[in-house]
Amino acid sequence: MKFPADFLWGSATSSYQIEGAATTDGRGKSIWDVFCETPGKVINADSGAVAIDHYNRYEQDVDVMSSLGLQAYRFSIAWPRIMPNGTGKIEKRGLDFYDRLVDKLLEKGIMPLATLYHWDLPAELEDKGGWTNRDSASWFADYAAVVHEALQDRVKMWATLNEPWVSAFLGYGIGIHAPGIKDPAKAFQAAHHLLLGHGKAIEVMRSQSSDSSLGIVLNMAPVYLEGTAPAGHPAHEAIELQDAILNKLWMNTLLKGQYPKTLINLGPVITDSIHEGDLAEISRPIDWMGVNYYQDSRSVPDDSAGGGVMDSTGNGALPGSKGVKPAPLVGEVTDFGWSTTPDGLRRLLVDMRDSYENLPPVYITENGAAYDDPIVDGKINDTRRIKFINEHLKAVHQAIEQGVDVRGYMHWSLFDNFEWAEGYRQRFGLVHVDFETQVRLPRESSWHYARIISNNGF
Ligand code: FCB
């Protein structure tokens, strides 16, 4: 099983999850610093204040990447390091860190893929409403311009946002992520402004350089109902709404310049945010699209009164759960309690190609699993992660055979790290990290992945 000759093999991380050094070199606070300080929000009251101290250990960390033969490294840039207040003053020492990181990567022959926003919004901007404020789109584009200008001579591949669905719906809709707001109407506002910010950032980066490859990273999944529900059962509407929010909200606006009808039908909660010209900005051409895939989204009909994890008043709830509940888990269930559904990745990729004729080349920008296997005689034999990688790469390979233009795969994650509301208890790394001593120990999966890279397949 060989991949196309120029297929790009890499691994991914994000700033708040690995860097630590939260007050070093003038870094401002982010919404995640604030969220972690709020009692009851993060397991064990963990935070990214130290994380895996990558800010200080980046050179050794790049050596680890090099020993695995990674061709690309996807990392994110911490906005509060560059603009501690979110707008205005630029912190040169913050930019210098990414400068050093990029130089070190290039010295080792590893291509940098920079994500501009992986959830660490400067806290001062949240005081002004964060992503619910329409100005957030311009704040983001201004920040993007500063970073792109500084690094575009050496960083050729850029993502604007990571998983805006998560920022909007987990951050502002059900509040399990920073900034912890529980208001579905605000989630829709945030979603629109994130998209608008993406479009404005694309415009400004394009004007700065014509040889930057610009894209966005989305978490998507096939959404479907298992089993049958009679016509008229609320489950059908729920599935349509879930699919609209998880997939079509992003894909239709970005690639067709249109909101899905299902959402427009919700009325002012959607349409009030949309100003004339917004969709033209949002749908500016992009050069690639990143897909983060963990599991598909399956529900079964639910006849109980409550209606799943959300209710129609929107209280603590996401739209699209009335009349359904999560389907039973399948496959090798991960420590996170997620199913493993590799064929969902093939299906998603084929659906994207079939539904969007202007789909740009696709990169798998995240895919991975939390499995914590013990260290035995200095080794971690994480056979479940190895199986996960094999099955998902097989699915990617099938999608390519079925004609989808997939250009690369970035495993999530390179290192164990701070897993957001789950703190440090979910270990996603190819490389184990002892959070007390900061010792890095490559798991067997990392050597397995290294062999796949060197063979360009199996
Ligand atoms: C994705 C995030 C990433 C990580 C993985 C497990 O949603 O982009 O930061 O938390 O999930």
Side-chain angles (χ1 to χ4, degrees), residues 42-107:
V42 177
I43 294 284
N44 287 326
D46 287 340
S47 84
V50 176
I52 66 164
D53 195 33
H54 171 75
Y55 193 82
N56 295 308
R57 295 168 195 259
Y58 74 93
E59 289 185 288
Q60 293 112 283
D61 287 346
V62 175
D63 289 337
V64 172
M65 299 175 209
S66 178
S67 71
L68 299 179
L70 294 193
Q71 299 166 350
Y73 173 53
R74 173 174 176 248
F75 62 100
S76 81
I77 297 185
W79 186 343
R81 285 197 193 282
I82 311 299
M83 295 169 122
N85 311 102
T87 57
K89 197 188 105 219
I90 296 165
E91 175 51 79
K92 171 100 172 35
R93 290 172 296 174
L95 276 174
D96 289 347
F97 167 69
Y98 298 103
D99 215 64
R100 294 194 296 276
L101 171 65
V102 164
D103 283 345
K104 176 80 187 173
L105 288 165
L106 292 175
E107 182 195 311

Side-chain angles (χ1 to χ4, degrees), residues 36-240:
C36 292
E37 285 163 8
T38 314
K41 297 296 185 191
V42 177
I43 294 284
N44 287 326
D46 287 340
S47 84
V50 176
I52 66 164
D53 195 33
H54 171 75
Y55 193 82
N56 295 308
R57 295 168 195 259
Y58 74 93
E59 289 185 288
Q60 293 112 283
D61 287 346
V62 175
D63 289 337
V64 172
M65 299 175 209
S66 178
S67 71
L68 299 179
L70 294 193
Q71 299 166 350
Y73 173 53
R74 173 174 176 248
F75 62 100
S76 81
I77 297 185
W79 186 343
R81 285 197 193 282
I82 311 299
M83 295 169 122
N85 311 102
T87 57
K89 197 188 105 219
I90 296 165
E91 175 51 79
K92 171 100 172 35
R93 290 172 296 174
L95 276 174
D96 289 347
F97 167 69
Y98 298 103
D99 215 64
R100 294 194 296 276
L101 171 65
V102 164
D103 283 345
K104 176 80 187 173
L105 288 165
L106 292 175
E107 182 195 311
K108 294 286 175 182
I110 300 168
M111 193 195 98
L113 194 179
T115 301
L116 286 161
Y117 185 70
H118 200 127
W119 309 350
D120 39 3
L121 186 74
E124 276 190 37
L125 297 183
E126 191 54 43
D127 298 339
K128 300 175 190 161
W131 291 107
T132 67
N133 185 332
R134 189 175 162 89
D135 291 343
S136 57
S138 306
W139 301 333
F140 176 65
D142 291 348
Y143 151 70
V146 170
V147 179
H148 184 254
E149 184 59 40
L151 299 176
Q152 51 83 21
D153 58 330
R154 285 154 296 148
V155 178
K156 298 299 173 192
M157 197 168 171
W158 295 82
T160 52
L161 307 172
N162 177 71
E163 302 191 354
W165 178 89
V166 172
S167 300
F169 290 94
L170 303 193
Y172 294 88
I174 56 172
I176 61 169
H177 274 199
I181 291 169
K182 298 181 183 172
D183 182 345
K186 289 196 170 156
F188 284 120
Q189 287 168 3
H192 186 74
H193 300 144
L194 282 154
L195 284 164
L196 192 59
H198 155 85
K200 288 184 186 292
I202 294 288
E203 182 188 21
V204 64
M205 293 195 283
R206 220 35 114 202
S207 73
Q208 289 172 322
S209 156
S210 56
D211 75 341
S212 289
S213 179
L214 308 176
I216 185 169
V217 170
L218 303 174
N219 57 305
M220 294 188 292
V223 171
Y224 52 95
L225 193 65
E226 269 188 356
T228 50
H233 192 284
H236 298 295
E237 213 177 291
I239 292 297
E240 193 184 314

Side-chain angles (χ1 to χ4, degrees), residues 17 118-119 162-163 166 292 294 338 366 412 419-420 428:
Q17 295 179 275
H118 200 127
W119 309 350
N162 177 71
E163 302 191 354
V166 172
N292 292 355
Y294 290 90
W338 294 351
E366 286 181 27
W412 184 273
E419 178 46 45
W420 310 113
F428 275 92

Side-chain angles (χ1 to χ4, degrees), residues 264-279:
I264 292 293
N265 290 344
L266 297 179
V269 72
I270 299 289
T271 51
D272 279 358
S273 297
I274 310 172
H275 295 198
E276 208 183 318
D278 284 2
L279 283 152

